[in-house]
Amino acid sequence: MKYSHIVFDLDGTLIDTERAILPSLRDTLEELTGRHYKEQALTFALGITGADALKRLGVADVPAALTLWIEKMHKYEDAVSLFVGVAEALAKLREQRLALGIVTSKTREEFAHDFNRFGIGGYFQTVVCAEDTAEHKPTPAPLLKYMELSGAHRERVLYVGDSIYDSQCAHAAGVDFALALWGTHDPAIPAQHRIQMPGHLLSLSGDQK
């Protein structure tokens, strides 16, 4: 197999958080501004840090707004779930002795809240969160940090994600990109591979789907 490291985005790739992120962001903005926001107008926030999303929205006190957003997220936490087939695919990829990692725009606190309850953390040797780099997706910084921490060579890394930010990050880092079609809003995002479901990652090594 060409790749020895399979690195995953989190939201929209491993876990389905859209039904928690967008309504909680909407509620946060409505409390702060008194204005009504349509969730469709907030989808740009999927795939970038919460701070960057709030800055783009013109929020004055970003740290306070982030705290409020996390509080609002608790109301929707039951809507967060693993995508179908993720746990099984991860187990089989590890059986192939592949190194698995995560590069996410979430903070460590957000990552722990949204991810740890699913019991798949043991599959991942290296996790890069928002605090680990000064710059974030779509710049290459998070993937470059992953390679620094893991010792991986870029030609041996495959990044799996659902957003244009993920694709741009991978391209800028010189890393191949696989588009997670099960979680994306845009199937035309540039990618070396388009994966219909998590188990299809195994086909890149010639293993069964």
Side-chain angles (χ1 to χ4, degrees):
M1 183 180 185
K2 177 181 178 181
Y3 308 110
S4 57
H5 289 252
I6 309 295
V7 186
F8 295 86
D9 171 50
L10 188 60
D11 296 326
T13 303
L14 292 175
I15 59 175
D16 186 357
T17 52
E18 183 173 330
R19 291 175 295 168
I21 290 173
L22 295 184
S24 59
L25 176 56
R26 177 202 62 206
D27 294 352
T28 299
L29 293 170
E30 288 181 359
E31 180 168 326
L32 291 174
T33 68
R35 293 173 51 196
H36 175 71
Y37 288 80
K38 293 183 178 180
E39 290 181 21
Q40 190 61 32
L42 301 175
T43 56
F44 75 91
L46 300 171
I48 57 176
T49 67
D52 286 342
L54 292 167
K55 288 174 185 174
R56 291 192 189 188
L57 287 160
V59 173
D61 189 342
V62 170
L66 276 174
T67 299
L68 180 60
W69 189 358
I70 291 171
E71 291 174 0
K72 297 289 186 185
M73 192 92 70
H74 292 309
K75 177 181 175 182
Y76 301 99
E77 61 185 12
D78 288 344
V80 177
S81 62
L82 278 180
F83 280 106
V84 173
V86 162
E88 296 83 358
L90 293 175
K92 290 180 178 179
L93 289 168
R94 286 295 290 133
E95 286 175 6
Q96 295 182 3
R97 300 186 181 278
L98 294 169
L100 303 182
I102 291 174
V103 167
T104 176
S105 295
K106 283 187 177 297
T107 64
R108 289 278 169 187
E109 179 183 0
E110 293 168 333
F111 175 80
H113 178 267
D114 290 345
F115 181 76
N116 288 348
R117 58 181 144 146
F118 295 113
I120 59 173
Y123 290 120
F124 301 97
Q125 293 97 323
T126 306
V127 176
V128 175
C129 292
E131 297 95 330
D132 296 320
T133 57
E135 295 183 322
H136 307 105
K137 294 184 284 187
T139 79
L143 275 173
L144 294 177
K145 186 66 175 181
Y146 173 87
M147 288 185 278
E148 174 191 331
L149 293 172
S150 67
H153 297 288
R154 67 188 69 223
E155 66 273 9
R156 300 281 284 165
V157 176
L158 178 67
Y159 188 43
V160 185
D162 65 293
S163 74
I164 186 62
Y165 311 118
D166 298 325
S167 174
Q168 291 169 339
C169 176
H171 177 76
V175 167
D176 280 0
F177 179 65
L179 181 63
L181 292 173
W182 61 87
T184 190
H185 282 274
D186 182 3
I189 288 171
Q192 280 77 28
H193 307 280
R194 285 177 163 72
I195 311 298
Q196 290 285 349
M197 58 185 65
H200 287 180
L201 284 166
L202 296 161
S203 68
L204 296 179
S205 64
D207 200 348
Q208 62 180 7
K209 296 180 182 180

